[in-house]
Amino acid sequence: MNAVVLLGPPGAGKGTVAEVLVGKGYKHVSTGDLLREQIALETELGLEAKALMDQGKFVPDDVVVGMIRDLLQSSETSAKFLFDGFPRTLVQAERLDELIQTMEGRIDQVVLLKCPDEVIVERLSGRRSCPECKAVYHVTYNPPRQDGICDSDAVTLFQRADDNADTIRKRLNVYAEQTAPLISYYEAKNLIQPVDATQSISEVRVAVLERLG
Ligand code: AP5
Ligand code: MG
């Protein structure tokens, strides 16, 4: 089992980059998407997660690590994972290392999408997402062919509940406090590949593909 981790602040473009890597044989795992699926299904886990996510707070480590453990244990050992939005605390990073070790796998690279706060606010304010295929659009930078409709499955796009100015600010603070320390954690393991995420979508995608060789 091999893995690439996409690390970066909310709105840096993790999901947008992941879309091209799926075509390269990676299995895309976004803990945010997995949690939103639970919310849509109105499960107990989903209801608890929604209350936290709507406030821009993290879901407890045990919950997300449990979801990832189930997923890894039910996957082929030859799978190549692309983790998007996981790990995002030091505890999660350590638990992932343990899980991967027991499966005799490894993290190949950690791609760090670097993006300043003011760019992020504009990106998240204009984001639209498909509830079916999870494709990510932007009203200006990546508009769908038909306004408000997904190109792939013709479903109406939605705006995420946590993409309002107030919650975006909170998410950026939580990132700085809890996730940014992962940069040194992975630097110490020589795994960080930085990418300038302020470039255009296609330039960022090319840069990430180059890093992954
Ligand atoms: P999650 O869904 O992972 O959200 P996030 O980390 O805040 O990141 P986003 O999905 O908002 O941004 P992105 O980097 O994917 O950007 P995107 O490609 O969409 O998590 C949501 C919540 O779930 C968390 O707050 C937390 O509560 C909970 N959660 C999830 N995982 C957890 C965990 N491990 N532990 C605890 N809690 C967890 O792009 C953004 C916009 O910009 C789009 O409109 C896109 O079209 C546009 N765009 C992208 N790239 C470019 C570019 N290069 N140029 C111009 N526009 C661009
Ligand atoms: Mg995302």
Side-chain angles (χ1 to χ4, degrees), residues 10-11 14-16 31 36 57 85 88 92 127 137 171 199:
K14 302 182 292 294
T16 301
T31 38
R36 281 184 290 276
K57 293 182 182 162
R88 59 171 103 199
Q92 291 178 20
R127 171 164 60 188
Y137 297 88
R171 287 159 64 198
Q199 304 174 90

Side-chain angles (χ1 to χ4, degrees), residues 45 63-75 99:
L45 191 159
V63 173
V64 271
V65 172
M67 289 188 332
I68 296 290
R69 185 188 302 115
D70 292 348
L71 195 95
L72 295 186
Q73 288 174 350
S74 61
S75 302
L99 273 175

Side-chain angles (χ1 to χ4, degrees), residues 62-120:
D62 283 344
V63 173
V64 271
V65 172
M67 289 188 332
I68 296 290
R69 185 188 302 115
D70 292 348
L71 195 95
L72 295 186
Q73 288 174 350
S74 61
S75 302
E76 309 251 324
T77 47
S78 58
K80 281 203 302 184
F81 285 96
L82 178 68
F83 291 121
D84 157 2
F86 178 86
R88 59 171 103 199
T89 63
L90 282 172
V91 170
Q92 291 178 20
E94 287 162 2
R95 302 274 287 277
L96 177 62
D97 282 345
E98 287 159 20
L99 273 175
I100 288 185
Q101 216 175 354
T102 57
M103 298 178 74
E104 294 177 13
R106 56 176 241 173
I107 296 178
D108 291 324
Q109 332 222 24
V110 176
V111 175
L112 172 64
L113 296 179
K114 299 178 79 169
C115 199
D117 288 3
E118 60 277 13
V119 174
I120 283 168

Side-chain angles (χ1 to χ4, degrees), residues 130-133 137 145-146 148-157:
C130 176
E132 290 293 325
C133 70
Y137 297 88
R145 282 193 295 272
Q146 195 188 338
I149 306 290
C150 180
D151 292 349
S152 307
D153 41 35
V155 169
T156 302
L157 302 176

